[in-house]
Amino acid sequence: MKQESGNRPDLLQKVFDYHQATKHCFQGYARAPGYLDWATQPNPFRRFKGAQLMPLEKIPPTDEPRYDEAFVPGRIPPVPVNLRSISQLFYDSLAISAWKSTGETRWALRANPSSGNLHPTEGYLICGPIEGLCDQPMVCHYAPKEHGLEVRAEFELELWEKLGARFPQDTFFVGLTSILWREAWKYGQRAYRYCQHDTGHAIGAISMAAAGLGWQAKILDDVSTDALALLTGTFRKHDAEPEEPEVLMVLGPFEEETNEIGLPEDHVLTFESLDWRGRPNQLSTSHVDWGIDEITEAARKPHGSSRSERFQCPPKQWSLETRPVSLRQMIRQRRSAVAMDGKTRISRDTFYRILQKTLAVPGHIPFRTLPWKPHIHLAIFVHRVDDLPPGLYFLVRDPSQRKALEAALTKADLWRRPSGCPEHLDLYCLFEIDARYHARDISCFQEIASDGCFSLGMIAEFAQPLEHYGPWFYPRLFWEAGVVGQVLYLEAEAAGMRSTGIGCYFDDPMHQLLGLEDCKYQDLYHFTIGGPVEDDRLTTLPSYPDE
Ligand SMILES: Cc1cc2nc3c(=O)[nH]c(=O)nc-3n(C[C@H](O)[C@H](O)[C@H](O)COP(=O)(O)O)c2cc1C
């Protein structure tokens, strides 16, 4: 593969143009169909016709490990890599978690959330021989509806050994791709952003599921998009909707800093000539072109581009209480609230504990999965937190950004530390206001943003990392936002509440509220946490018929 620069100004301009063009604003939404064309609704389940399906085990949640322990490396003893543990990894990250039905209509929910429940993210396992699962190295596609692995290709042990030579024993890889059409069908031009959020949520879900097995999960940042297309077999041309390679993760029961290790790309090239099996199913009968190919191509990771800067912040000390809460139960019961009750309050300590879990403390899970330093900060609308005045608060997730943020947030008034705030939490009250209507209106008038305990906007360092690394860093900003979101989803469940990711928000009105005047920082995602209102009209069915 030829070396390419990751930093072409023309491609970078395309990223800035796309981001600007896909902003929602009070005057109008980003280009989208505006209605749902049910005749072309994409099938949420990709299958490869002709590929052998190997069933995985369904492993109901257990009391152990404890939820809070999973965030601290080394607390959960690693289990061996075998059929059962691989089954649990997928069951706790990308599998179906329940079916919902009303009348004749039935739809699946999964352990990982997805914008519009459209689930563009597909998962692949690339592994050597695994006890009980396979005797030969293979590439498999994960089929969530069946909770099984479709064997796309098998290859020689010699190739696996060359590929994994620099990785610890028992390492395997999980690749994620996006079927962009699934989101574009409903969301048009903004769909690329949502696919990246969903990838981030899937990365977070895999990282937490791995933690429950005592394993590490790391993004291999050096792998180019072309290399990942070869490893997952998605380079092959066919009539069905294409899959865009997103990310390769290395997983296993090891301690080493594996994301510093590169993949030998000359061996990756040999994947082109494997005997690839199965034909992907067509998901819709026809398609509309929303022009997202351009951003997809511009943001691909070229071969030989620089790697992201590692996080050098000194470790902070915190004492994590361990609640009698099951990690796997939280993972499997995670759901989005469709409405908040407008009354539930949380204590100040619960609020601080939730925020604490979103910190990228070096070494802590799931943020150690991301090799780069944190670029996402939280602008928080506090509505119903005991002993805290309602207002707009700000959590700085990388302390080295504090001064730059203070200069950029020109409307911020106070920068006052809230009372009782733990020392290691860089949290500030910017102004005291009744923030409910701001939160609701900025989140496309969605009341879930005002009726919860708090909601927030994820403010990303934007221009600098993109100019520094190149356009390939654009999706990574959304991935980080998705991982933060995944922690918020689980934290809400562990606190007896519920949360919802909010992809529909008005970008520039949020910037104006904060006084952000240029592209240095951009709002990339919203979130809400509170007491949910359950929809009694819906029936919940088990995730798999044999459960
Ligand atoms: C990136 C992203 C954006 C989302 N945006 C919204 C939103 O704007 N409004 C909303 O009510 N739900 C939103 N959701 C929640 C999804 O609708 C929800 O995840 C999906 O229906 C699946 O349900 P589940 O999370 O209960 O599994 C979003 C979820 C994600 C991951």
Side-chain angles (χ1 to χ4, degrees):
M1 282 171 217
K2 73 180 188 328
Q3 296 271 331
E4 292 169 59
S5 158
N7 215 345
R8 279 180 36 196
D10 56 329
L11 297 183
L12 191 59
Q13 192 55 49
K14 283 189 177 164
V15 170
F16 283 108
D17 290 348
Y18 169 80
H19 193 72
Q20 192 60 31
T22 52
K23 285 180 173 175
H24 288 331
C25 57
F26 286 124
Q27 293 73 29
Y29 291 86
R31 259 182 358 101
Y35 68 100
L36 294 175
D37 177 13
W38 295 112
T40 61
Q41 184 186 18
N43 180 343
F45 301 112
R46 167 135 287 172
R47 289 296 311 271
F48 287 86
K49 194 164 184 267
Q52 180 206 345
L53 179 75
M54 296 193 304
L56 293 173
E57 294 176 14
K58 288 139 198 156
I59 304 169
T62 36
D63 290 345
E64 299 287 334
R66 295 281 171 96
Y67 171 77
D68 294 297
E69 307 250 282
F71 290 80
V72 188
R75 290 274 181 92
I76 299 175
V79 302
V81 179
N82 55 30
L83 169 63
R84 191 170 172 79
S85 51
I86 291 285
S87 298
Q88 184 176 313
L89 178 78
F90 283 102
Y91 194 71
D92 287 355
S93 55
L94 304 181
I96 289 177
S97 54
W99 287 83
K100 292 276 176 189
S101 77
T102 172
E104 297 290 291
T105 321
R106 203 173 85 110
W107 63 98
L109 299 177
R110 305 192 196 183
N112 57 318
S114 166
S115 184
N117 201 26
L118 295 160
H119 287 286
T121 314
E122 298 289 328
Y124 288 83
L125 172 72
I126 303 144
C127 64
I130 290 181
E131 191 207 321
L133 182 70
C134 57
D135 297 329
Q136 225 190 319
M138 59 181 187
V139 181
C140 294
H141 169 250
Y142 177 65
K145 192 172 173 196
E146 294 74 16
H147 185 52
L149 291 168
E150 294 180 294
V151 184
R152 301 256 16 249
E154 288 175 308
F155 54 96
E156 296 300 318
L157 192 59
E158 199 187 336
L159 175 56
W160 172 250
E161 280 166 356
K162 283 179 184 153
L163 201 67
R166 284 183 262 165
F167 293 94
Q169 232 198 333
D170 287 336
T171 294
F172 63 93
F173 303 105
V174 171
L176 297 177
T177 67
S178 295
I179 303 181
L180 289 141
W181 162 247
R182 284 213 183 105
E183 289 285 328
W185 168 74
K186 181 171 179 187
Y187 295 114
Q189 224 190 348
R190 201 163 150 112
Y192 178 82
R193 294 184 182 207
Y194 295 154
C195 288
Q196 304 313 321
H197 283 131
D198 282 11
T199 301
H201 277 287
I203 293 168
I206 291 167
S207 180
M208 293 308 300
L213 292 154
W215 297 347
Q216 286 218 39
K218 303 267 191 167
I219 286 182
L220 282 185
D221 209 15
D222 280 344
V223 178
S224 66
T225 305
D226 284 349
L228 187 53
L230 289 169
L231 289 168
T232 52
T234 49
F235 69 94
R236 287 163 65 85
K237 299 271 172 280
H238 43 69
D239 295 336
E241 296 78 1
E243 293 181 36
E244 177 64 19
E246 302 287 6
V247 65
L248 187 68
M249 298 172 77
V250 55
L251 288 99
F254 48 75
E255 275 307 314
E256 291 88 336
E257 277 306 309
T258 40
N259 50 15
E260 300 300 327
I261 305 173
L263 266 191
E265 294 212 358
D266 44 337
H267 297 305
V268 173
L269 281 177
T270 59
F271 276 65
E272 194 169 357
S273 51
L274 296 185
D275 175 20
W276 290 97
R277 297 174 211 152
R279 283 187 69 78
N281 56 346
Q282 176 109 14
L283 307 175
S284 295
T285 45
S286 64
H287 307 92
V288 178
D289 182 0
W290 287 100
I292 50 179
D293 287 357
E294 221 183 358
I295 178 65
T296 307
E297 279 162 31
R300 283 186 181 141
K301 179 120 187 359
H303 175 62
S305 49
S306 62
R307 67 163 50 157
S308 51
E309 196 183 319
R310 290 354 190 196
F311 191 28
Q312 298 298 343
C313 172
K316 293 182 180 190
Q317 295 302 319
W318 77 39
S319 55
L320 264 179
E321 71 175 298
T322 301
R323 292 166 283 180
V325 170
S326 152
L327 167 71
R328 300 194 54 233
Q329 184 60 42
M330 295 306 102
I331 286 176
R332 294 284 306 172
Q333 75 175 43
R334 182 216 61 79
R335 301 271 186 285
S336 295
V338 285
M340 298 290 188
D341 63 12
K343 332 192 264 270
T344 301
R345 302 183 64 84
I346 47 168
S347 72
R348 200 173 63 186
D349 287 349
T350 302
F351 176 64
Y352 291 148
R353 189 177 53 215
I354 294 171
L355 296 186
Q356 179 169 286
K357 287 280 188 37
T358 71
L359 289 183
V361 174
H364 274 224
I365 298 164
F367 295 102
R368 71 172 176 178
T369 296
L370 309 178
W372 54 85
K373 72 184 194 76
H375 292 289
I376 300 281
H377 310 277
L378 308 182
I380 309 166
F381 300 96
V382 169
H383 307 312
R384 296 174 186 85
V385 178
D386 289 342
D387 305 318
L388 275 191
L392 189 53
Y393 290 66
F394 203 90
L395 179 70
V396 181
R397 289 183 64 252
D398 173 7
S400 72
Q401 283 288 311
R402 163 80 161 82
K403 284 216 148 41
L405 281 161
E406 215 174 304
L409 297 164
T410 57
K411 293 264 179 67
D413 191 11
L414 302 171
W415 285 96
R416 197 192 58 218
R417 297 271 296 151
S419 51
C421 182
E423 201 194 325
H424 58 263
L425 207 55
D426 256 337
L427 179 70
Y428 304 89
C429 178
L430 302 185
F431 26 78
E432 289 184 18
I433 42 161
D434 179 350
R436 287 176 298 166
Y437 304 107
H438 294 288
R440 183 197 62 190
D441 292 359
I442 285 173
S443 293
C444 298
F445 308 108
Q446 299 184 81
E447 284 169 353
I448 43 170
S450 54
D451 289 350
C453 302
F454 66 96
S455 64
L456 56 89
M458 299 196 194
I459 307 301
E461 293 158 42
F462 194 75
Q464 197 278 337
L466 289 181
E467 278 157 9
H468 180 71
Y469 297 121
W472 59 269
F473 210 75
Y474 182 58
R476 282 155 180 78
L477 294 174
F478 289 94
W479 300 352
E480 186 181 329
V483 176
V484 172
Q486 194 63 16
V487 171
L488 291 173
Y489 264 121
L490 296 178
E491 274 296 301
E493 298 292 334
M497 291 181 300
R498 194 133 272 183
S499 63
T500 305
I502 301 179
C504 189
Y505 61 89
F506 297 120
D507 304 63
D508 285 338
M510 181 67 177
H511 300 147
Q512 280 147 18
L513 181 72
L514 293 166
L516 291 170
E517 285 161 4
D518 52 26
C519 267
K520 203 164 173 207
Y521 295 92
Q522 292 283 283
D523 183 11
L524 287 197
Y525 194 17
H526 279 229
F527 234 85
T528 180
I529 293 192
V533 180
E534 298 300 341
D535 189 341
D536 297 337
R537 293 165 302 176
L538 303 185
T539 310
T540 306
L541 306 161
S543 43
Y544 296 98
D546 48 349
E547 280 184 336

